[in-house]
Amino acid sequence: GYNNIGDFNTFLGSCAGYNNTIGSINTFIGQCVGRCNTTGDGNIFINTKSVNTTGNNNIYIGSQAGYNSLGTDNIYFGYRCGYGAVGSSGHNNTGFGSYTLSQIDTGSFNLALGRQAGSYLTTGNYNSFIGDGAGFTSTTCSYNTFIGSAAGERNNTDFNTFIGWAAGQSTGIGTGFTN
């Protein structure tokens, strides 16, 4: 916390919280963790090199979790989980697993549980992807529920429910499918 004037921060590790100025109630653990944070409040970053500068109330745990995220109220747990596009502003997203929501940009209110679940989602909103590779190549779809390994894997449409292994895997045209 070289420049820190914020309150109630905990920084553990070489250059952790280095650029924090007025950000408060942050916990940064690991080498250079939270180094780019300047004004963000209420963040917990463990073992991630996130470039988040202003986002609030985020939890990033894992190497490169939430790396490019500037959003708020996100929880990313796992290698490159929530890695995101440069300057991504998505908020209220929850991801658990390696590469989960790894391309998220402005997409918000998404839940992805399982390795590579929703991996290519960029701008979609209000999706639930549960299972290894569920919604894997979905990029802009919204209001979907995909439960099961590879469920909705290649789907990029809205308002769908797919439950079971590879359910709706090749459905790519139309909306409102239930499988």
Side-chain angles (χ1 to χ4, degrees), residues 22 46 72-73:
I22 61 171
I46 300 174
T72 60
D73 302 307

Side-chain angles (χ1 to χ4, degrees), residues 54-80:
T54 59
N56 298 316
N57 307 315
N58 295 295
I59 300 173
Y60 303 155
I61 300 174
S63 181
Q64 300 179 14
Y67 188 83
N68 287 311
S69 176
L70 299 180
T72 60
D73 302 307
N74 294 304
I75 299 172
Y76 297 136
F77 184 89
Y79 176 71
R80 284 196 142 200

Side-chain angles (χ1 to χ4, degrees), residues 92-153:
N92 296 91
N93 293 305
T94 301
F96 284 85
S98 297
Y99 297 100
T100 300
L101 296 174
S102 63
Q103 300 297 314
I104 199 73
D105 189 4
T106 59
S108 298
F109 300 98
N110 295 293
L111 170 68
L113 307 174
R115 186 181 65 85
Q116 296 182 329
S119 189
Y120 286 93
L121 189 69
T122 56
T123 59
N125 301 299
Y126 299 99
N127 293 295
S128 295
F129 303 138
I130 302 171
D132 180 46
F136 177 68
T137 60
S138 300
T139 57
T140 60
C141 63
S142 296
Y143 306 101
N144 292 301
T145 301
F146 301 158
I147 301 172
S149 183
E153 183 180 49

